[in-house]
């Protein structure tokens, strides 16, 4: 006699046996169809495709993978204190989400993280299940708005980054450009003050509109006390950045920036805006126009329940300079140019100071550790900071940081070996390494041969600005983004031995067919196992995502 178990879905997912290549293909195809239908203004088809994508099994799989493996908050639970880490637990979550039963969101968990100005930023952490549902809804909503967003919006959008925003500023702030007055604006508490009614009106008759309204008004729990939310989107949710971009859509039209059908700005336009989430700059031709721009921005934001921050919003001339996304943009006097000025974009002084302070605290934590631990901890920090700033005028800053690191390492070696001479310490830890030929001052671990990343040797590599309204969801831009992915600077985040293999694979995972740079850890796989005679030669190695590597071994 067969027994029935209640509340168990019929489909039982095998997490280690998921065909990720097929799942990505299904979701990508539906996203492109939504994008194309939106460009054609076929709204009935858009809604049908959104409804179909939201319920697809492949979308559920990718949502669970994104929330439990890719997102930075994968180890942060909600108010139910539930985490999903193992394969069977992820499979059970997929089966539960696939049932499509009515769901009432749980309140978010309020936590605080420190900000650079000494204040604390409030975050609302939804439960794992709510985050997965948000990821599913976001996959259906995002391509529709990607077809409508303004080309000068770069924050929290697929295929765009802060470097694209800086590259656009470089174009707008050129010394030959007439727009030399800048409104450096910041929206006060953008994520916490967005008007819910306006946001839901912007979304329209989206199939999951009711569920999104519940997420917006679900409230949060802090110290055991429930607080309702009457405005804003909780920072920490998967869908919150997209909702913020939707709320701020239309800024160009409010500032009188019009474009031709091909996407180019009309010649009579005297303003230019660059926005990264809630940080934005507007270039104007005169100070009076800049002051009027500030008034127009405030009027635009007031309909959305927002306002400019008086503390962070300023009107400056490019000869004075301003800071944006950790960079300083300024016109400097020059005798070697026809105009007498030159534009330089450098790392902001505050960013450099904060990085030095971070290094100082890191060395304090490493007191008493061996060289292996020092190199293992410092290398990702140094590579990450260098890769972020290597696209601007940073050579002198990198050289100064190299000198600072040298003296900190000297001090570490002195504390580690107080009874040894300077010559002994130099001979033990410093020497020439193949990664940095011609220098005898590379910090090398004598036991493993690991070398500390030398930030002073970082090459300046300019970022290529993304083309107009190009989007990964646009079927006509697939070749463009494939080439752009192969030229990605993210390759510099990995050791040179891994870079060679990733370059041979053109930045793609051969198992799932997706980009290796999706945020997941990259593993090096031996095609012929070592215990069966395989070697470490590049012809026997393959770069895979961690999940794909586990499936290969299975």
């Amino acid at each position: 006699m067969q027994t029935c178990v209640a509340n168990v879905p019929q489909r039982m997912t095998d997490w280690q046996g998921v065909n990720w290549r097929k799942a990505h293909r299904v979701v990508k195809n539906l996203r492109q169809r939504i994008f194309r239908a939106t460009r054609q203004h076929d709204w009935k088809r858009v809604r049908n495709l959104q409804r179909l994508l939201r319920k697809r099994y492949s979308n559920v799989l990718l949502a669970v993978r994104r929330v439990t493996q890719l997102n930075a908050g994968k180890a942060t639970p909600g108010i139910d204190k539930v985490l999903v880490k193992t394969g069977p637990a992820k499979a059970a979550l997929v089966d539960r989400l696939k049932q499509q039963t009515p769901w009432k969101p749980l309140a978010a968990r309020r936590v605080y993280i420190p900000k650079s100005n000494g204040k604390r930023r409030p975050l609302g952490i939804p439960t794992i299940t709510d985050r997965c549902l948000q990821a599913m809804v976001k996959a259906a909503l995002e391509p529709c708005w990607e077809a409508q967003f303004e080309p000068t919006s770069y924050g929290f959008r697929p295929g765009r980054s802060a470097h694209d925003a800086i590259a656009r500023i470089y174009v707008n702030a050129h010394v030959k450009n007439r727009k030399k007055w800048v409104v450096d604006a910041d929206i006060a508490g953008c994520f916490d003050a967005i008007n819910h009614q306006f946001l839901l009106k912007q979304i329209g008759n989206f199939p999951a509109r009711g569920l999104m309204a519940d997420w917006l008004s679900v409230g949060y729990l802090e110290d055991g006390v429930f607080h309702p939310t009457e405005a804003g989107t909780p920072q920490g949710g998967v869908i919150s950045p997209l909702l913020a971009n939707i709320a701020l859509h239309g800024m160009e039209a409010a500032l009188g920036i019009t474009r031709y059908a091909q996407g180019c700005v009309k010649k009579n336009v005297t303003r230019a805006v660059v926005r990264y989430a809630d940080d934005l700059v507007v270039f104007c031709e005169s100070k009076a126009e800049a002051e009027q721009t500030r008034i127009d921005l405030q009027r635009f934001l007031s309909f959305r329940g927002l306002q400019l921050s008086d503390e962070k919003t300023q009107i400056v001339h490019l000869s004075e300079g301003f800071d944006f996304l950790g960079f300083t943009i300024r016109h400097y006097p020059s005798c070697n140019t026809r105009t007498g000025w030159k534009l330089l974009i450098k790392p902001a002084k505050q960013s450099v100071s904060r990085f030095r302070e971070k290094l100082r605290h890191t060395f304090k934590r490493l007191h008493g550790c061996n060289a292996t631990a020092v190199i293992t901890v410092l290398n990702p920090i140094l590579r990450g900071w260098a890769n972020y700033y290597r696209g601007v005028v940073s050579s002198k800053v990198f050289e100064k940081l190299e000198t600072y690191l040298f003296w900190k390492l000297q001090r570490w070696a002195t504390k580690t070996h107080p009874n040894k001479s300077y010559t002994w310490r130099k001979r033990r830890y410093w020497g020439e390494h193949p990664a940095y030929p011609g220098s005898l001052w590379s910090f090398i671990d004598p036991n493993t041969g690991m070398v500390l990343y030398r930030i002073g040797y970082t090459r300046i590599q300019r970022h290529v600005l993304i083309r107009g309204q190009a989007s990964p969801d646009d079927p006509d831009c697939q070749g463009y983004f494939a080439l752009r992915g192969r030229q990605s600077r993210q390759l510099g985040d990995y050791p040179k031995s891994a870079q060679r293999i990733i370059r041979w694979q053109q930045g793609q995972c051969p198992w799932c067919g997706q980009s290796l740079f999706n945020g997941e850890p990259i593993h090096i796989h031996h095609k012929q196992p070592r215990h069966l005679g395989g070697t470490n030669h590049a012809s026997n190695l393959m770069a895979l995502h961690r999940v794909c590597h586990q499936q290969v071994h299975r």
Side-chain angles (χ1 to χ4, degrees):
M1 179 178 179
Q2 185 178 6
T3 59
C4 296
V5 181
N7 299 327
V8 175
Q10 295 180 357
R11 180 193 294 269
M12 299 299 293
T13 301
D14 179 12
W15 186 257
Q16 296 298 334
V18 172
N19 187 344
W20 293 111
R21 184 182 290 270
K22 178 182 177 182
H24 281 289
R25 184 176 66 250
V26 170
V27 173
K28 180 180 179 180
N29 181 42
L30 283 172
R31 287 179 64 110
Q32 290 180 356
R33 292 171 64 187
I34 293 172
F35 185 95
R36 187 188 296 112
T38 304
R39 285 284 175 89
Q40 296 171 354
H41 302 287
D42 188 352
W43 297 111
K44 181 178 180 180
R45 185 174 181 82
V46 168
R47 299 312 180 200
N48 290 336
L49 289 171
Q50 286 177 330
R51 193 176 294 107
L52 176 63
L53 175 56
R54 191 169 68 89
K55 297 179 180 180
R56 287 304 293 262
Y57 180 63
S58 297
N59 189 26
V60 180
L61 288 170
L62 293 182
V64 173
R65 178 172 177 173
R66 186 175 299 111
V67 170
T68 60
Q69 293 181 186
L70 301 184
N71 289 359
K74 58 181 178 292
T76 306
I79 62 172
D80 58 356
K81 301 181 181 180
V82 172
L83 287 178
V84 179
K85 295 184 177 181
T86 65
K90 296 171 186 176
L93 179 58
V94 170
D95 295 333
R96 188 164 65 250
L97 291 171
K98 188 63 179 71
Q99 290 181 356
Q100 295 293 328
T101 56
W103 176 256
K104 180 66 176 178
L106 298 179
R109 182 169 70 92
R110 175 56 56 93
V111 298
Y112 294 90
I113 59 173
K115 298 173 65 174
S116 58
N117 57 5
K119 298 181 181 179
R120 297 194 304 168
R121 184 189 305 276
L123 298 182
I125 309 298
T127 63
I128 291 290
T129 305
D130 281 328
R131 274 178 268 176
C132 290
L133 285 169
Q134 289 184 15
M136 294 163 55
V137 171
K138 179 183 177 183
L141 181 64
E142 190 172 50
C144 173
W145 281 94
E146 278 294 310
Q148 305 176 64
F149 279 147
E150 298 152 335
T152 52
S153 167
Y154 298 99
F156 305 109
R157 292 182 58 188
R160 295 172 180 247
S161 66
H163 298 99
D164 289 303
I166 296 300
R168 171 54 61 185
I169 286 179
Y170 179 83
V171 175
N172 291 332
H174 196 273
V175 291
K176 294 183 180 180
N177 201 325
R178 293 181 299 176
K179 305 178 181 68
K180 292 186 169 53
W181 286 93
V182 179
V183 181
D184 181 14
D186 182 85
I187 303 174
C190 176
F191 286 88
D192 301 325
I194 296 176
N195 184 278
H196 289 174
Q197 298 302 321
F198 177 85
L199 186 56
L200 292 174
K201 183 179 178 181
Q202 284 278 85
I203 294 171
N205 60 341
F206 178 66
R209 174 190 172 95
L211 186 59
M212 296 180 68
D214 291 340
W215 282 329
L216 292 173
S217 59
V218 71
Y220 63 91
L221 202 65
E222 183 178 6
D223 297 330
V225 180
F226 175 78
H227 301 270
T229 51
E230 299 179 354
T233 62
Q235 297 186 60
V238 175
I239 203 171
S240 297
L242 174 61
L243 296 181
N245 278 331
I246 292 174
L248 295 174
H249 176 66
M251 187 174 291
E252 280 195 350
L255 294 176
I257 301 174
T258 54
R259 297 177 178 272
Y260 294 107
Q262 296 81 4
C264 300
V265 178
K266 294 185 177 179
K267 294 183 179 180
N268 60 345
V269 174
T270 59
R271 296 172 180 174
V273 62
V274 178
R275 182 174 65 84
Y276 188 89
D278 58 340
D279 294 328
L280 61 109
V281 290
V282 183
F283 294 86
C284 307
E285 294 187 359
S286 65
K287 186 175 182 180
E289 187 179 30
E291 293 173 348
Q292 181 61 41
T293 297
R294 183 168 182 167
I295 297 174
D296 294 340
L297 282 175
Q298 185 57 64
R299 184 185 303 113
F300 168 80
L301 295 173
S302 62
F303 290 105
R304 292 150 174 81
L306 304 172
Q307 61 181 357
L308 292 175
S309 171
D310 296 332
E311 177 185 353
K312 298 181 180 179
T313 301
Q314 58 179 345
I315 298 175
V316 296
H317 194 270
L318 278 173
S319 59
E320 306 172 36
F322 65 96
D323 292 348
F324 187 70
L325 300 179
F327 299 87
T328 295
I329 300 95
R330 183 179 176 186
H331 282 179
Y332 292 85
S334 174
C335 301
N336 301 323
T337 60
R338 293 182 179 179
T339 59
W341 297 88
K342 63 179 178 180
L343 170 65
L344 293 181
I345 302 179
K346 304 178 180 179
K349 291 183 178 179
Q350 291 184 353
S351 301
V352 178
S353 300
R354 286 197 298 266
F355 185 63
R356 285 171 63 102
E357 189 69 13
K358 181 178 181 179
L359 290 176
R360 189 176 70 84
H361 285 293
T362 303
F363 271 102
K364 277 188 174 183
R365 291 191 292 107
L366 291 171
H367 178 64
C369 297
N370 57 17
T372 305
V374 171
I375 295 175
T376 302
V377 172
L378 287 178
N379 271 359
I381 298 174
L382 296 173
R383 276 201 183 97
W385 201 86
N387 287 334
Y388 185 76
Y389 289 103
R390 69 186 302 178
V392 296
V393 184
S394 306
S395 296
K396 291 184 178 180
V397 174
F398 289 160
E399 291 174 1
K400 291 180 179 179
L401 288 173
E402 177 90 4
T403 304
Y404 177 76
L405 275 169
F406 173 76
W407 291 113
K408 296 298 290 185
L409 290 168
Q410 288 276 17
R411 186 172 178 81
W412 170 87
T414 302
K415 288 183 176 181
T416 305
H417 306 282
N419 298 326
K420 298 294 184 180
S421 65
Y422 169 80
T423 304
W424 184 93
R425 293 192 295 266
K426 177 183 179 300
R427 188 182 302 115
R428 179 173 175 82
Y429 291 111
W430 278 272
E432 185 175 6
H433 192 274
Y436 308 104
S439 174
L440 299 175
W441 291 100
S442 295
F443 185 79
I444 305 171
D445 180 12
N447 298 321
T448 63
M450 296 172 58
V451 62
L452 183 72
Y453 179 78
R454 299 194 62 175
I455 194 170
Y457 277 69
T458 304
R459 292 183 179 180
I460 301 301
Q461 183 178 349
R462 302 299 181 186
H463 181 80
V464 180
L465 176 63
I466 190 171
R467 187 178 65 194
Q469 294 179 315
S471 170
D473 293 319
D474 189 350
D476 299 330
C477 295
Q478 298 310 301
Y480 170 75
F481 278 96
L483 177 62
R484 188 174 175 84
R486 289 195 292 268
Q487 298 173 346
S488 174
R489 294 185 321 187
Q490 298 179 22
L491 198 63
D493 295 344
Y494 302 94
K496 291 189 176 180
S497 58
Q499 289 183 22
R500 187 184 305 110
I501 302 166
I502 296 172
R503 197 177 288 111
W504 282 351
Q505 298 176 190
Q506 297 183 345
Q508 287 189 337
C509 175
W511 187 260
C512 67
Q514 299 302 306
S515 171
L516 285 168
F517 308 119
N518 65 351
E520 288 190 77
I522 295 179
H523 287 192
I524 302 299
H525 168 67
H526 290 78
K527 301 176 185 176
Q528 181 74 12
R530 293 289 304 278
H531 68 277
L532 295 179
T535 65
N536 285 326
H537 192 269
S539 60
N540 190 48
L541 301 178
M542 183 190 302
L544 301 170
H545 294 128
R546 181 173 61 186
V547 176
C548 300
H549 194 199
Q550 293 171 352
Q551 284 192 343
V552 170
H553 278 286
R554 187 190 183 216

